Amino acid sequence: MYQVKRKFRSEFVPIRNLQYHVQIWGQPSPDKTPLVMVHGWMDVAASYQFVVDAFKDDHYIIAPDWRGYGKTPSGNVDNYWFPDYMADLDFLLDHYSPDQPVNLVGHSLGGNVVMLYGGVRPERIRRLVNLEGFGLPATTPDMAPGRYAKWMDELKKLHRGEMDLKAYDAVSGVARRLMKTNPRLSQDKADWLAQHWAAENAEGKWTILGQPAHKVISAHLYQSEEVLELYRRLSMPVLAVEASDNSLDLWWKGKFTLEQYHERIKNVPNVEIGFIPDAGHMMHHDQPEVLAGLIERFIA
């Protein structure tokens, strides 16, 4: 089992009628800029443990479980959309750092959220780190009828139970699933992470701590023009980190490429690119020491 170097504590914060679960490492101090780290799709805040352990400096770290993930309830909704994540983050910063800009890190879905949020509230962020929050392929208005139809069809599948997540007989099955998804993940880290990524239910099965409603497609088309306007308002220094594996090619098969992403982030006024060798999309699992070094150098 992976041996934790820095233990976290849990807090539950009232945010928009939800009791948000937040993991905290370190203690607040006048000489520390809060470091807020938000996770990606079908992930949890505990996923940052390996990076936190790899930091050389003592940070005050705030990492929430997004709504419907980990120990944060869903609010009994059957689909999710980006404005809710942005508003939740705004309320979270109101609670933990109302008067001081934070250093903000987001991975994947969380990376997309922090990039959008930073364009709305640039004054609240000292430095921003985007870990493979690439965005989505551009859309056109003629795609709207099909998108709405697919959204409604998937809602019906969800309510019929056809999108339920697989349950596992033991936590070891969850660990094997994590290692199958990410072959770079070591056994000790998988065993530790599985206990935070899933929980045992009343029937003795281990279920993933992510609501299946997260799998329902967004009803709204991705508006790349709106995204670029928000990117242009990112007045803080931005570090966009990429892994050596090209996840975009794997996911989109040419519909959205790394080159197209690079064209988009040219709209960010003060951006630099970071690179993690021998890593896939879950870079915070694959190369936590390298990633921790990149982040600390950037926010110093």
Side-chain angles (χ1 to χ4, degrees):
M1 181 74 72
Y2 176 80
Q3 297 300 307
V4 169
K5 297 176 183 177
R6 292 185 170 102
K7 292 185 178 180
F8 65 81
R9 62 187 182 276
S10 289
E11 297 181 357
F12 287 88
V13 180
I15 292 178
R16 302 180 62 216
N17 301 318
L18 297 175
Q19 288 297 312
Y20 242 78
H21 177 241
V22 183
Q23 293 185 192
I24 308 291
W25 290 268
Q27 299 293 334
S29 170
D31 62 341
K32 292 180 184 177
T33 300
L35 176 57
V36 178
M37 306 181 76
V38 295
H39 67 79
W41 187 80
M42 287 299 167
D43 204 355
V44 291
S47 196
Y48 281 118
Q49 180 69 54
F50 313 131
V51 175
V52 172
D53 284 343
F55 283 142
K56 297 192 182 306
D57 296 329
D58 178 30
H59 300 279
Y60 173 45
I61 300 169
I62 301 154
D65 286 334
W66 287 125
R67 54 175 56 220
Y69 288 117
K71 297 179 181 178
T72 299
S74 66
N76 296 319
V77 301
D78 61 3
N79 63 121
Y80 296 84
W81 65 324
F82 268 84
D84 272 329
Y85 299 123
M86 294 166 64
D88 291 352
L89 178 58
D90 202 45
F91 276 65
L92 185 84
L93 297 188
D94 284 347
H95 180 84
Y96 283 104
S97 191
D99 302 315
Q100 179 185 9
V102 303
N103 293 319
L104 184 58
V105 177
H107 172 248
S108 194
L109 176 147
N112 290 320
V113 173
V114 300
M115 292 287 281
L116 300 179
Y117 179 79
V120 179
R121 305 276 202 216
E123 71 281 359
R124 305 203 72 168
I125 305 172
R126 176 181 172 270
R127 299 214 162 196
L128 188 153
V129 182
N130 173 16
L131 309 176
E132 295 217 328
F134 296 122
L136 297 170
T139 61
T140 53
D142 62 290
M143 299 167 68
R147 172 60 64 89
Y148 282 122
K150 185 174 183 180
W151 174 67
M152 290 186 286
D153 289 343
E154 289 192 359
L155 285 175
K156 291 177 182 178
K157 289 175 63 177
L158 174 74
H159 285 277
R160 291 195 298 264
E162 296 173 16
M163 300 180 81
D164 287 355
L165 303 176
K166 178 182 176 180
Y168 297 83
D169 292 332
V171 69
S172 59
V174 180
R176 286 194 296 272
R177 161 66 193 281
L178 288 166
M179 294 176 70
K180 180 179 179 181
T181 303
N182 180 11
R184 288 187 175 93
L185 186 64
S186 60
Q187 183 74 59
D188 63 330
K189 288 180 179 176
D191 289 340
W192 184 88
L193 190 59
Q195 298 182 56
H196 299 271
W197 206 62
E200 191 173 13
N201 63 21
E203 290 75 40
K205 298 283 189 179
W206 282 78
T207 55
I208 305 305
L209 293 174
Q211 293 296 318
H214 288 291
K215 296 164 64 178
V216 174
I217 195 169
S218 172
H220 298 99
L221 297 175
Y222 184 80
Q223 302 293 333
S224 56
E225 295 85 358
E226 291 182 7
V227 171
L228 295 182
E229 285 301 319
L230 292 171
Y231 280 10
R232 294 181 186 111
R233 286 173 48 88
L234 291 166
S235 56
M236 75 296 296
V238 175
L239 175 64
V241 183
E242 300 171 14
S244 56
D245 290 0
N246 185 341
S247 298
L248 283 179
D249 280 357
L250 177 66
W251 298 335
W252 296 110
K253 311 297 184 185
K255 294 180 181 178
F256 180 39
T257 66
L258 199 59
E259 290 74 21
Q260 288 172 317
Y261 165 69
H262 288 157
E263 283 299 314
R264 284 185 186 175
I265 61 172
K266 287 180 181 178
N267 289 272
V268 179
N270 190 15
V271 65
E272 64 178 273
I273 306 296
F275 184 75
I276 305 292
D278 190 24
H281 186 60
M282 304 300 280
M283 58 175 68
H284 51 310
H285 298 167
D286 300 345
Q287 296 287 356
E289 294 83 6
V290 177
L291 179 57
L294 270 182
I295 293 172
E296 285 194 310
R297 284 191 295 273
F298 183 70
I299 67 175

